[in-house]
Amino acid sequence: MTINQALVAATKKIKNKKIKTASLDAEVLLAFILKKLKEYLYTCPQKELSKKQIASFKNLISRRIKNEPIAYLTKNKEFFGLNFYVDRRALIPRPETELLVEEVINRIKNQELRIKNQSLTIADIGAGCGCIAITLAKILPTICNKRFAISYYATDISKSALLIAKKNAKKHQTKVKFFQGDLLTPLKNKSIDVVVANLPYGWQQWKNNTLAENRGLKFEPPKAIFTKEKGLYLYRRLFQQITKRKQKPRFILGEFDPRQKKYLQKITKEQFPQYQLKIKKDLASLNRIFVLAVKG
Ligand SMILES: C[S@@+](CC[C@H](N)C(=O)[O-])C[C@H]1O[C@@H](n2cnc3c(N)ncnc32)[C@H](O)[C@@H]1O
């Protein structure tokens, strides 16, 4: 079987399952098996595949037609231009989460975070594969030109997600300290300047609708996606933990669903009168990121 024949057959199989990205999926998976760039497939379409390559490709295609996300098949997802190892133990990073990272970077670039004692601490709550903390740890030192030291902490309730995050931190040669536990609890005694969180914010009704639309979601850990109280249970508890801390962070940033805006405004107003709330839109012009900044 040649590269071209394999691509045609696989695209047809995927298309039959009404997966819209059939031809791209077939290309990505074959390039992955061959350890080549996608372009290679079109420079050598008549190249014969080995038996082993055909078997591996067929195996991935059979998983793809059951809607398993490409990122789990290739064990990789690009986030902010960096490649992250992913598997079913952690959520696949989403493009909208890059906005959260961008917001933190902008605040440091604009020097909104004036640095006392030449140091700053950033905590990523609900780290998953570690994409937020690791990207910040990779990018911020060049942006702040090593003028001050930044410490990075990350917490997750899931032990297995943290194993992935640690693997990614090593891969990107970053120093992020990971802690297993509930929200900020493992960081009780640490002073934190910035809290950045992409906590699960899906809720039951959304779950029913979304699972029908996005069949790939069933492969991701449900505890990384869904929670109670219209999806804001974990953020409400995170806010409560913050209000109980002696030393309050200067910035609290998080990702949410546009339909949660009113409820989010209500709970942040109640719990954080000393903070100003800003809501930022994503690339689809939907309210997606909140930034709470200490007033004054
Ligand atoms: C939506 S995922 C985000 C993962 C990653 N930060 C990202 O943006 O791709 C939420 C993460 O929060 C974690 N989580 C859920 N409940 C938690 C809790 N009570 N304390 C800490 N982490 C929690 C989940 O295990 C999951 O890894």
Side-chain angles (χ1 to χ4, degrees):
M1 185 184 264
T2 65
I3 285 184
N4 186 48
Q5 287 166 337
L7 280 179
V8 171
T11 303
K12 194 171 161 202
K13 260 192 164 176
I14 306 175
K15 228 181 214 161
N16 283 343
K17 292 287 170 184
K18 305 210 173 354
I19 297 174
K20 289 181 188 139
T21 47
S23 111
L24 178 65
D25 291 0
E27 288 168 3
V28 170
L29 294 176
L30 188 53
F32 168 70
I33 298 282
L34 301 180
K35 299 190 177 72
K36 300 275 187 199
L37 293 174
K38 265 191 316 173
E39 291 67 29
Y40 171 82
L41 306 175
Y42 295 97
T43 48
C44 308
Q46 300 310 328
K47 190 170 174 3
E48 286 289 332
L49 299 172
S50 70
K51 274 194 183 140
K52 197 172 161 208
Q53 288 167 337
I54 295 172
S56 310
F57 186 49
K58 282 189 172 164
N59 172 265
L60 290 189
I61 297 300
S62 68
R63 288 168 65 188
R64 182 65 194 127
I65 62 180
K66 289 181 191 134
N67 297 302
E68 187 162 349
I70 290 283
Y72 284 158
L73 300 178
T74 59
K75 306 239 183 295
N76 183 67
K77 180 72 185 175
E78 195 182 308
F79 180 83
F80 223 90
L82 299 172
N83 285 314
F84 283 86
Y85 172 87
V86 282
D87 67 30
R88 288 174 68 168
R89 292 171 292 172
L91 188 98
I92 301 167
R94 306 295 203 264
E96 49 271 31
T97 307
E98 294 183 344
L99 295 174
L100 258 186
V101 173
E102 227 170 74
E103 279 300 320
V104 178
I105 293 174
N106 286 341
R107 277 174 165 74
I108 292 187
K109 255 190 192 163
N110 301 341
Q111 305 205 335
E112 282 174 59
L113 275 159
R114 296 224 169 68
I115 315 298
K116 308 167 285 183
N117 310 327
Q118 304 297 302
S119 73
L120 181 74
T121 304
I122 301 178
D124 170 10
I125 309 302
C129 75
C131 58
I132 298 175
I134 294 168
T135 305
L136 289 170
K138 190 85 190 159
I139 288 179
L140 284 178
T142 33
I143 287 177
C144 64
N145 206 11
K146 298 191 179 150
R147 278 177 290 121
F148 45 86
I150 308 183
S151 306
Y152 304 90
Y153 298 136
T155 74
D156 204 294
I157 197 90
S158 157
K159 253 188 199 163
S160 50
L162 284 175
L163 291 176
I164 296 187
K166 285 177 188 166
K167 188 179 168 100
N168 280 318
K170 201 169 167 195
K171 175 175 171 170
H172 290 293
Q173 297 175 313
T174 49
K175 282 195 182 135
V176 178
K177 287 192 186 135
F178 294 99
F179 301 85
Q180 196 228 336
D182 178 37
L183 305 169
L184 276 167
T185 315
L187 307 176
K188 232 185 227 158
N189 304 318
K190 312 245 186 252
S191 131
I192 297 167
D193 301 293
V194 181
V195 168
V196 52
N198 178 19
L199 287 166
Y201 56 76
W203 63 100
Q204 191 56 43
Q205 193 195 348
W206 183 79
K207 184 176 180 176
N208 302 340
N209 301 340
T210 321
L211 279 176
E213 279 162 33
N214 182 350
R215 290 166 287 174
L217 271 187
K218 68 172 185 277
F219 292 88
E220 295 184 274
K223 284 193 175 141
I225 307 177
F226 302 107
T227 184
K228 306 183 274 190
E229 284 180 29
K230 295 178 191 155
L232 285 174
Y233 170 71
L234 289 163
Y235 279 116
R236 187 181 56 72
R237 285 194 38 247
L238 173 71
F239 297 159
Q240 263 172 0
Q241 290 187 357
I242 292 174
T243 56
K244 285 186 189 141
R245 287 174 73 91
K246 255 197 199 139
Q247 180 269 338
K248 308 270 188 296
R250 323 247 297 278
F251 284 96
I252 307 159
L253 302 94
E255 182 181 318
F256 67 102
D257 182 278
R259 288 162 285 187
Q260 295 164 331
K261 183 177 164 189
K262 282 214 169 110
Y263 187 45
L264 187 80
Q265 281 170 324
K266 183 175 175 288
I267 55 178
T268 53
K269 200 171 171 186
E270 283 165 8
Q271 297 197 41
F272 295 118
Q274 72 278 40
Y275 285 76
Q276 191 185 9
L277 171 70
K278 276 196 185 149
I279 288 184
K280 306 259 171 174
K281 292 190 190 304
D282 62 17
L283 296 175
S285 285
L286 298 170
N287 294 312
R288 182 68 65 188
I289 303 292
F290 68 81
V291 183
L292 285 156
V294 173
K295 287 179 191 165

